Amino acid sequence: MNARDEILARVRERHPDAAPPSAENIEYTTYPDPAQQFTKLLESVGGRCVQAADAAAASADLEQQPAYASAARRVSTVNGVGTSTLDLSEVDDPHDLADVDFAVLPGELAVAENGAVWVSTASVAERTLYFLAQHLALVVPASQVVNNLPEAYERINPSRHPFGTFISGPSKTADIEQALVIGAHGARSLTVYLLG
């Protein structure tokens, strides 16, 4: 037996049996106002959050955004929020969505703890829209803002759909010469509308 194996054998002899952690005793972070905390976190990572009374109010705000107003190719899959210049039923190849300037898509829930929004193919069949659009707006019911990820996972079932992910803030990277680049591999801006 070499020295390495001897040391590992001694460690294994003296290592106590590990007990799985109990989720019952964990106190997860909660917030007095989850929507306010979500807004704060989203803005800290470069996103924008708008609390809108209804779809009409969200649409009115959207019309004021220069990126939306100047977008030649727009997609909206949320009734009453924004308009589409592209008919998704005519798109056979996801690559045809590579030049979408602005997408307005539904989000299922928002997490106050990290400023993220859960999206899945339950709401939008063409998942590439979440990542190919130059600018992105997600519309989430205000009643679906949760405190933390454990609460989020109680409401979602990731195995229910072939695709689901959390999105937070616009895409960014700082790995090239330590310079922050917004929109490096995804949307250059993200606005989240909390409706209701």
Side-chain angles (χ1 to χ4, degrees), residues 112-177:
E113 176 179 58
N114 61 5
V117 175
W118 174 257
V119 298
S120 77
T121 49
S123 304
V124 175
E126 195 47 70
R127 64 185 179 212
T128 56
L129 273 172
Y130 288 107
F131 308 102
L132 292 179
Q134 290 294 309
H135 300 274
L136 181 62
L138 299 175
V139 181
V140 180
S143 62
Q144 296 302 311
V145 180
V146 298
N147 286 293
N148 50 54
L149 284 171
E151 280 184 33
Y153 279 108
E154 286 177 11
R155 293 191 187 195
I156 62 176
N157 181 355
S159 63
R160 206 176 44 181
H161 308 289
F163 170 82
T165 192
F166 287 101
I167 295 177
S168 180
S171 164
K172 62 188 107 6
T173 185
D175 61 348
I176 302 168
E177 298 180 7

Side-chain angles (χ1 to χ4, degrees), residues 18-52:
S22 171
E24 296 172 9
N25 299 327
I26 297 175
E27 290 186 28
Y28 297 108
T29 304
T30 58
Y31 302 96
D33 185 346
Q36 180 183 20
Q37 178 66 18
F38 172 80
T39 300
K40 179 178 153 187
L41 258 291
L42 181 64
E43 289 174 355
S44 76
V45 297
R48 178 174 172 259
C49 185
V50 176
Q51 296 190 26

Side-chain angles (χ1 to χ4, degrees), residues 21 35 45 65 81 108 170 191:
V45 297
Q65 287 193 48
V81 182
E108 295 179 31
T191 300

Side-chain angles (χ1 to χ4, degrees), residues 84-102:
S84 292
T85 61
L86 178 65
D87 185 356
L88 288 180
S89 65
E90 296 176 1
V91 176
D92 296 325
D93 182 357
H95 295 96
D96 293 339
L97 300 171
D99 60 351
V100 170
D101 297 309
F102 208 107

